Amino acid sequence: MKQFKVLGTGCAKCLKTAEMLERISKELGVEAEVSKETNIEAIMNYGVMSTPAVVLNEQVVHSGSIPNRDIIENWLRQ
Amino acid sequence: MLSFFSLLADWLVYGLLGFSAETRLGNALHFFVEDTAKIFVLLIIMIYVIALIRASLNVERIRNYLAGKHRGIGYFLGSFFGAITPFCSCSSIPVFLGFTSAGIPVGISMAFLITSPLINEVAVLLLLSLLGWELTLVYIVVGMAVGILAGAFLDLIRAERLLQPFAAKAYEKSQPIQLQEVALQRMSLTDRHNFAKTELLDILQRVWKWVFIGVGLGAALHGYVPDGWMQENLGHGQWWSVPAAVLVGIPLYSNATGVIPVMESLIVKGLPLGTTLAFCMSTVAASFPEFILLKQVMQWRLLAIIFLLLLASFTLVGWVLNFVELMW
């Protein structure tokens, strides 16, 4: 089971990122849990400065933009 | 080269649509067509080219570079990077915290955050094409000076005491950051092209409506405010027009893209340069939505100080520039 966390203070791009993660994991039939982290203190503790950022199983794997489809599929297939 | 757009507007508005150059509506429409066409063409070309060049620049690298720099040069660099780094205002809080927890003084982070909305490649480009290089230079110097001086002042009054407790703690606990080398992999041309393409679409999506609003307002001013009216009523003789312009700018919320076409009209119509700049900078930098965001990391007192600081500096800038323009 893959646990994704989308870090971001609620901007449109962060919502889009979370939505894409959910949709693509469903399409590929990979079990994944997507949550959003909007607490700024928690985001800071991940050491992330540009949002949206994506955390996969407590590892920051992406930051600063909406990840594209290829990257997301890669995470899911790992 | 840029006269092409004027010809295009001539052809479309006076020729094809049959408006007369003598009427106010015709005049306003001509301004609108010429400026929107010019702005969009320039935006598309320049955003792409600039994004190609600066693809490998990101806030993490800037933080690592700023950390441990001497304060004197730090304010300048903070403001300079604020000018050249693109970033959307929704990132300002994480960036601020990232800087703070790397031990970068609050003043330097604020120099970055204040300059960032005021100066960016789109703004500079618009200024250059609409108002010429002299005014562009004045705008850049003023914008950076405000960021640098405000930053230095905030450290002088030890603004870090007025952060939210958790942010203040992060600043105190900060260690010289373990430079987790921010993946310095070389970018191939394809990577850069992809970055530039995304960046172009992203910025266009964000600014296109501001261009229309800004140019629309500019066109209305251009066509409907009688020549000479501004000089008589808001000219050099009226010292109060500068603080008034700053106050009017507060509730108006626009980014630099929207405000620069308005600037063009105001200056052409004879509003003094200082008053115009004061108004525009206040519109761009002193906006409530952005300040409410900063509340997450700062106490009200610090927010109020920064806000007043901005208003005071824009007023001062306005007066000084008006004075200089008068003496010239």
Side-chain angles (χ1 to χ4, degrees):
Chain A
M1 171 88 154
K2 291 187 168 17
Q3 286 199 319
F4 286 104
K5 244 184 237 172
V6 178
L7 312 181
T9 44
C11 53
K13 286 185 186 176
C14 314
L15 299 178
K16 179 111 194 283
T17 305
E19 187 262 323
M20 274 177 75
L21 282 170
E22 267 165 3
R23 185 160 41 84
I24 295 177
S25 62
K26 260 196 208 112
E27 277 175 31
L28 297 183
V30 177
E31 237 189 297
E33 191 189 296
V34 180
S35 60
K36 293 188 212 85
E37 181 58 76
T38 54
N39 182 320
I40 186 68
E41 208 174 337
I43 295 176
M44 185 183 75
N45 288 334
Y46 282 105
V48 161
M49 289 208 293
S50 19
T51 54
V54 179
V55 173
L56 169 55
N57 298 336
E58 293 307 303
Q59 285 286 316
V60 179
V61 288
H62 183 85
S63 84
S65 64
I66 302 177
N68 63 34
R69 206 190 161 88
D70 293 348
I71 301 181
I72 295 181
E73 288 188 6
N74 237 331
W75 293 330
L76 289 165
R77 293 216 166 92
Q78 269 168 23
Chain B
M1 178 195 95
L2 293 178
S3 60
F4 165 78
F5 295 103
S6 189
L7 294 179
L8 173 80
D10 282 346
W11 171 77
L12 188 73
V13 177
Y14 300 147
L16 207 60
L17 297 176
F19 284 97
S20 153
E22 307 300 315
T23 62
R24 291 179 167 181
L25 184 62
N27 234 315
L29 266 180
H30 186 273
F31 180 95
F32 185 80
V33 171
E34 179 181 346
D35 270 19
T36 39
K38 183 158 66 180
I39 289 174
F40 276 112
V41 169
L42 286 172
L43 278 182
I44 290 171
I45 300 173
M46 293 302 291
I47 294 175
Y48 180 81
V49 172
I50 293 171
L52 272 188
I53 299 169
R54 86 137 197 240
S56 49
L57 187 76
N58 60 35
V59 278
E60 281 81 8
R61 282 179 74 173
I62 288 172
R63 177 195 52 191
N64 293 356
Y65 185 76
L66 281 179
K69 279 278 177 306
H70 185 272
R71 279 187 188 224
I73 186 109
Y75 299 118
F76 173 79
L77 287 175
S79 168
F80 176 73
F81 282 124
I84 61 171
T85 326
F87 90 113
C88 109
S89 61
C90 57
S91 280
S92 58
I93 301 302
V95 166
F96 182 83
L97 281 173
F99 280 17
T100 307
S101 53
I104 295 173
V106 174
I108 296 181
S109 308
M110 283 312 296
F112 179 92
L113 283 188
I114 290 174
T115 315
S116 193
L118 281 175
I119 307 179
N120 55 52
E121 77 274 22
V122 178
V124 169
L125 174 75
L126 289 179
L127 281 166
L128 271 177
S129 59
L130 297 179
L131 292 164
W133 67 269
E134 293 101 333
L135 282 178
T136 310
L137 199 66
V138 171
Y139 183 91
I140 294 176
V141 169
V142 166
M144 283 187 60
V146 169
I148 291 170
L149 295 177
F153 178 82
L154 288 172
D155 278 342
L156 205 66
I157 61 165
R158 307 212 7 249
E160 65 274 10
R161 291 171 304 163
L162 299 173
L163 294 177
Q164 296 289 7
F166 82 93
K169 219 187 308 163
Y171 179 60
E172 270 166 34
K173 276 195 312 199
S174 69
Q175 299 132 357
I177 39 168
Q178 334 85 336
L179 294 178
Q180 350 126 330
E181 223 12 85
V182 194
L184 264 181
Q185 81 266 63
R186 290 202 161 273
M187 291 182 97
S188 70
L189 205 58
T190 331
D191 289 341
R192 282 177 188 266
H193 164 73
N194 284 333
F195 173 84
K197 206 177 69 186
T198 325
E199 189 78 359
L200 174 62
L201 289 176
D202 192 49
I203 296 183
L204 275 187
Q205 260 174 24
R206 224 163 351 114
V207 304
W208 69 269
K209 48 185 181 297
W210 291 106
V211 174
F212 279 117
I213 296 172
V215 179
L217 273 176
L221 283 171
H222 188 84
Y224 290 89
V225 175
D227 289 328
W229 184 88
M230 293 233 183
Q231 250 147 350
E232 271 162 45
N233 296 288
L234 299 165
H236 284 289
Q238 282 84 7
W239 65 268
W240 51 264
S241 66
V242 174
V246 171
L247 288 180
V248 171
I250 300 173
L252 299 177
Y253 174 49
S254 163
N255 61 17
T257 320
V259 96
I260 287 166
V262 177
M263 243 172 106
E264 178 193 12
S265 274
L266 289 174
I267 289 177
V268 171
K269 282 287 169 185
L271 190 66
L273 177 61
T275 318
T276 311
L277 261 185
F279 169 73
C280 294
M281 292 198 157
S282 161
T283 309
V284 175
S287 61
F288 287 123
E290 311 251 320
F291 270 78
I292 299 302
L293 281 178
L294 284 176
K295 173 71 181 74
Q296 295 178 66
V297 288
M298 294 173 187
Q299 295 172 25
W300 283 117
R301 259 181 70 199
L302 182 53
L303 278 184
I305 291 173
I306 295 176
F307 202 70
L308 291 177
L309 198 58
L310 284 182
L311 298 189
S313 21
F314 294 147
T315 309
L316 216 63
V317 162
W319 278 334
V320 170
L321 282 180
N322 280 353
F323 183 74
V324 172
E325 197 186 29
L326 209 56
M327 295 290 112
W328 208 251

